[in-house]
Amino acid sequence: LSCAGEMKGPEDDSDDRWEWGSPEEDEPVADEDMYYPKKEGTFRIMTYNVGAFSKTEGYNSTNDIAAMIQEAKADAVGLQELDSCTTRKGVDLYQAKKFAEEMGPQWDFTYASALESYKDGSYGIGLVWNTDVRNAVKTFKVMLPKGEARETRALDVVEYEDMVVASTHLNGHASSLQPSVEIITDTLKALYGAGDKPVFLCGDFNARPDNPSICFMRENWNILTPEGATGVGGKNRGVVPAPQTIEEVKGGCIDYIMCLKNNAKVELVDAQICFRFETGDVFESSDHLPVFADVRF
C-alpha cells in the first residue's frame, strides 16, 4: 500500500493552509540563467549531507560546497555530517564555523554534536543562514535515542521571528529510526503545533519514501521535496557523459525537507534535487546531493 501523502493544490480547497505554487509566466525570476532559478519573494531552504567535506580522498570540499550553495542562492541550509575539531583525515577544524565564514560575513551558524567524543573532537549536524534575510531568536538541541545503531543522533533547531528550521541526521536502522521521528515530531508539535509559525524539518533520514517511519512522518508533516535520488554514493562519480537529468542520477531518496502540519499558511513554489552546478562538481563534493524547497508564507 502506498503511504504517500498529498500536497493540497489550488483546486483542492479542503485545507487552505497549503498550496502548490503555480506562478504566472510573467512572475519575476531572479537570475533566469541559473540551473535553479529562484522566484522573487521566496525563501529557499536547503538540506545537504556534506560528509565532513571529505568524501573524496585528498579533497576538502568546503570551498566548493560553499560556492555551490551561494550559486543556488539558498537562505538557510541544514548540514549533516559535520566534524568539530576532530583529527580524522588530518582535519582539525570547527567545520560549522569554518563553513559559515566561507559563506560570508552575513552568515551565521549553529552546531549540535551528536557524538560528543569522537576522534579528539565531536561529530554532528548544524544549520547556516543568511542574516541579511533572517536573524535567529533562539537555537536549541534535542538528543535522539541510539537504539541498536552504532551512533547517537541529534536534532538542531533554529527559531526565527516568523519561522522555524530544524536539521537532523538519522540512523537507517529500523529500531533507531522510529523512536527518533516520534521524538522529533512530539517535541516540535508541543512547541509549535498549535501556532501559525511555519516549522521546516530538513535532513538525511537514511530511509526511502516507503519506509514505515517516513509514512509516520506524513501523518504530521507535509514532505516538500521530490522523490528522486539524493543519496548517490560514488555511483555517479566520474561518469561520462555526466547526468543531464535527475532521472539519470543513480541512488536513493533519503534526504527530505518537510513542513509541520499546524496552522501556518505556506505556499510551496518550487522544490528540486540539485545535481549540477557551474561552481563545483556535486558528485565529488559529497555522497549526497543537496535538496531545496522554495516557500512563501
Side-chain angles (χ1 to χ4, degrees), residues 232-244 248-250 281 283-284:
V232 297
K235 304 180 187 72
N236 305 272
R237 199 168 287 163
V239 173
V240 179
Q244 296 302 303
E248 296 175 30
V249 177
K250 299 176 183 178
D281 185 336
F283 298 113
E284 288 289 334

Side-chain angles (χ1 to χ4, degrees), residues 17-207:
R17 294 174 301 173
W18 282 90
E19 296 179 4
W20 178 270
S22 53
E24 299 297 329
E25 289 297 323
D26 59 353
E27 185 175 348
V29 179
D31 302 314
E32 291 190 34
D33 59 341
M34 291 170 55
Y35 282 126
Y36 311 103
K38 180 181 175 184
K39 299 291 183 182
E40 291 185 5
T42 60
F43 187 85
R44 179 163 287 181
I45 304 163
M46 180 176 279
T47 187
Y48 200 170
N49 182 326
V50 296
F53 304 103
S54 61
K55 283 297 181 178
T56 299
E57 190 67 33
Y59 165 49
N60 186 322
S61 61
T62 304
N63 295 350
D64 284 349
I65 288 178
M68 289 187 287
I69 290 176
Q70 289 168 330
E71 178 184 337
K73 297 191 181 299
D75 298 305
V77 186
L79 301 172
Q80 298 85 44
E81 293 198 33
L82 294 173
D83 280 0
S84 177
C85 305
T86 69
T87 54
R88 68 165 165 171
K89 295 190 177 182
V91 176
D92 187 19
L93 295 171
Y94 188 178
Q95 289 187 334
K97 181 175 185 292
K98 172 66 176 176
F99 186 74
E101 291 172 349
E102 187 65 31
M103 291 290 291
Q106 76 275 31
W107 285 77
D108 204 351
F109 73 96
T110 180
Y111 168 75
S113 58
L115 297 176
E116 296 186 352
S117 179
Y118 178 74
K119 296 188 181 297
D120 300 324
S122 69
Y123 169 83
I125 55 177
L127 285 143
V128 295
W129 62 93
N130 187 336
T131 61
D132 287 346
V133 180
R134 290 287 193 287
N135 264 315
V137 296
K138 181 170 67 175
T139 67
F140 61 94
K141 177 177 84 168
V142 179
M143 289 301 299
L144 302 174
K146 181 178 179 181
E148 295 179 15
R150 293 179 302 170
E151 302 174 352
T152 54
R153 298 295 168 107
L155 175 73
D156 195 15
V157 184
V158 178
E159 182 174 355
Y160 308 88
E161 288 187 0
D162 60 348
M163 65 182 292
V164 177
V165 182
S167 172
T168 194
H169 179 203
L170 301 183
N171 290 297
H173 197 292
S175 68
S176 305
L177 191 59
Q178 187 62 28
S180 293
V181 297
E182 290 178 4
I183 289 171
I184 289 170
T185 298
D186 291 347
T187 300
L188 295 178
K189 280 183 68 175
L191 292 170
Y192 307 109
D196 58 3
K197 181 178 287 192
V199 180
F200 300 99
L201 171 65
C202 59
D204 172 9
F205 283 70
N206 275 310

